[in-house]
Amino acid sequence: MVVLSQVALEQFIKTCKPNTINPNIPQNIIPTIDLSKSNAKSMLVNACQEFGFFKVENHGIPIQIMSQLEDEACKFFSLPLLNKESAGVANPFGYGNKHIGRNGDVGWVEYLLLSASPDFISQISVSIYPHNPDLLRYAIMNYLTKVKKMGVQILEMIAEGLNARKEEKNIISKMIKDEKSDSYIRLNHYPPRPEEATLSLNGKNMVGFGEHTDPQILSILRSNDTPGLQICLHDGSWVSVPPDQNSFFILVGDSLQVMTNGRFKSVKHRVLADNKKSRISMIFFAGPPLSEKISPLPCIMQPNEESLYEEFTWREYKNSAYNSRLSDNRLLSFLKNKPNQI
Ligand code: GA4
C-alpha cells in the first residue's frame, strides 16, 4: 500500500478531485480516422464537433521521419543544461525548463519551442550545434514539410465536410500554407516523475503540462510510446489517450472554434508525466499569419446567423493568449455575449 504524507495527500486531492478519470467512460472512445477512406470527411467533422480531437492512422508519413526527429530531440535533451540554453531561454521560443509561458505556470517538462519558419530553424540549429547543425535542421525540416502537408490535407477535407464550395476548399488551409503563417514546432520531454518527488514548485501544480486549450487552428501531435496525454470531454470528464507512436493526434484549437462559430470546440487537454518512462512529444501548431482576421467561415453560417465572437486578428489573439494563464479560457473575453461572471 502507498502511504502519502499529509502534504502530498492534500496536493493529490486538490489535483485530482473534480478531475479524476471517469471509470464509466470507455478509454477507447477516441475517434480514429483513416484519411484514405471515403467517409473520412464526415468522420473528421463529427470528431471535431464531438471531441475536438482525433487520431489519424494510415497517414503516409514514413516512420523514419518521426523517429529521426525523436532521436534528435533525445540527443538535445540529454545535452548539459548550458548547451540546451544555447537555444536561448524560451520567450516564447527557445529552451524552457519547468516554466511555461510568461505568467508563472510550471510543469514537469523541459522543451524546445521554435517558430516553424525555415530561417528560424536554420539559425537555431547553428546556435545549438555550431559545428554540425545539419542533422537537427534536416530532421526538423523534413518532419515539418510532411506534417504540414498532412495538416493542409486535413483542413481541406474539413472544409469540404463543412460544405465549402469546391473552389473554397482551401479557405482554412491557405492560412497555414501562407509563407507568413505563424506556426510553431514544440519538442517536449517529460522526465519520469517519481511518486515521492515534490509535487509542487512554490505550491504550483507540477503534474506534467497543466490543462489548457491551444490558441492556434490545429495542433498535430506525435509522441513516443509513453502514456500521459489526457483530453477533457464536453461533460468535463477526462480520458487518457493511449499512446501510439505510429499515429498522429490532432487537436482543434481556439481559432478553429471561432472559424466554425463554436460548432467545433477546442479540446482542453493536459499531460501527466509517467512515473517510470520518459515521454517525448513533438507538436506542430498550425497558425495563421499575424494579420489574418479570425472569424466564422461564410460557408458554415446559416442565413441570419451572427458570429458569437468579436472579430480579431491572430496577432490580437496571440497577444492576449500570452498575457493569460495556461488554464484560462482565452475565448471568453472575445465572446459578444459574455457570461456575467467575467
Ligand atoms: C499552448 C499551446 C502551445 O504549446 C503554445 C503555448 C504557450 C507557451 O508555452 O509559450 C502558452 C500556451 C500555449 C497558452 C497560454 C500562454 C502561451 C503558455 C501560456 C501560459 C506554444 C501556444 O501557442 O500557446
Side-chain angles (χ1 to χ4, degrees), residues 84 121 139 167 177 271 286 290 300 312 325-326 335:
K84 291 190 268 199
I121 304 295
E167 63 277 16
K177 269 177 145 171
V271 175
L290 287 172
I300 65 133
F312 53 85
R325 293 298 300 267
L326 191 59
L335 274 177

Side-chain angles (χ1 to χ4, degrees), residues 4 7-23 193 195 199 205-207 211 230 236-238 270 272-273:
L4 293 175
V7 179
L9 185 66
E10 270 163 25
Q11 185 65 38
F12 179 75
I13 294 168
K14 245 197 257 155
T15 26
C16 293
K17 240 235 174 120
N19 285 336
T20 36
I21 298 283
N22 182 340
R193 188 174 64 82
E195 301 299 359
L199 283 166
N205 196 318
M206 289 276 280
V207 287
E211 64 178 72
Q230 298 191 338
S237 51
W238 289 91
R270 65 185 180 189
L272 308 188

Side-chain angles (χ1 to χ4, degrees), residues 16-181:
C16 293
K17 240 235 174 120
N19 285 336
T20 36
I21 298 283
N22 182 340
N24 302 321
I25 297 178
Q27 298 290 301
N28 60 354
I29 57 164
I30 312 286
T32 299
I33 300 177
D34 176 341
L35 295 181
S36 63
K37 291 263 165 69
S38 59
N39 62 354
K41 288 176 198 153
S42 61
M43 284 188 68
L44 285 173
V45 170
N46 288 343
C48 289
Q49 276 170 350
E50 214 177 311
F51 298 91
F53 184 81
F54 54 92
K55 167 168 153 172
V56 174
E57 279 180 342
N58 281 331
H59 41 73
I61 300 185
I63 300 299
Q64 302 90 278
I65 298 276
M66 311 182 196
S67 41
Q68 243 162 37
L69 184 55
E70 186 185 327
D71 290 350
E72 282 299 317
C74 292
K75 205 169 99 190
F76 172 78
F77 290 120
S78 55
L79 291 173
L81 184 64
L82 267 180
N83 298 49
K84 291 190 268 199
E85 285 180 348
S86 65
V89 176
N91 182 25
F93 301 138
Y95 170 72
N97 193 331
K98 295 197 176 76
H99 295 274
I100 300 172
R102 298 172 180 157
N103 301 309
D105 291 291
V106 289
W108 191 266
V109 62
E110 58 172 342
Y111 58 89
L112 187 60
L113 180 58
L114 309 175
S115 154
S117 93
D119 287 348
F120 189 93
I121 304 295
S122 297
Q123 280 168 28
I124 206 93
S125 306
V126 174
S127 312
I128 301 172
Y129 301 114
H131 305 297
N132 186 11
D134 287 346
L135 280 177
L136 179 63
R137 179 160 65 93
Y138 289 144
I140 301 179
M141 286 314 299
N142 290 342
Y143 183 83
L144 276 177
T145 310
K146 298 276 196 250
V147 164
K148 188 168 165 182
K149 197 164 157 219
M150 179 178 69
V152 165
Q153 182 192 1
I154 291 173
L155 288 172
E156 298 190 346
M157 292 172 81
I158 287 179
E160 288 189 307
L162 288 170
N163 301 322
R165 291 199 308 271
K166 271 265 171 305
E167 63 277 16
E168 270 186 356
K169 77 167 192 183
N170 69 350
I171 188 152
I172 325 175
S173 64
K174 66 179 183 210
M175 299 179 201
I176 73 163
K177 269 177 145 171
D178 194 308
E179 61 167 33
K180 294 209 185 85
S181 142

Side-chain angles (χ1 to χ4, degrees), residues 100-101 105 113 184 186 212 214-216 285 321-322 324 326 330:
I100 300 172
D105 291 291
L113 180 58
Y184 299 177
R186 173 170 211 138
H212 67 284
D214 293 346
Q216 290 81 1
F285 298 99
Y322 273 90
S324 68
L326 191 59
R330 280 167 276 279

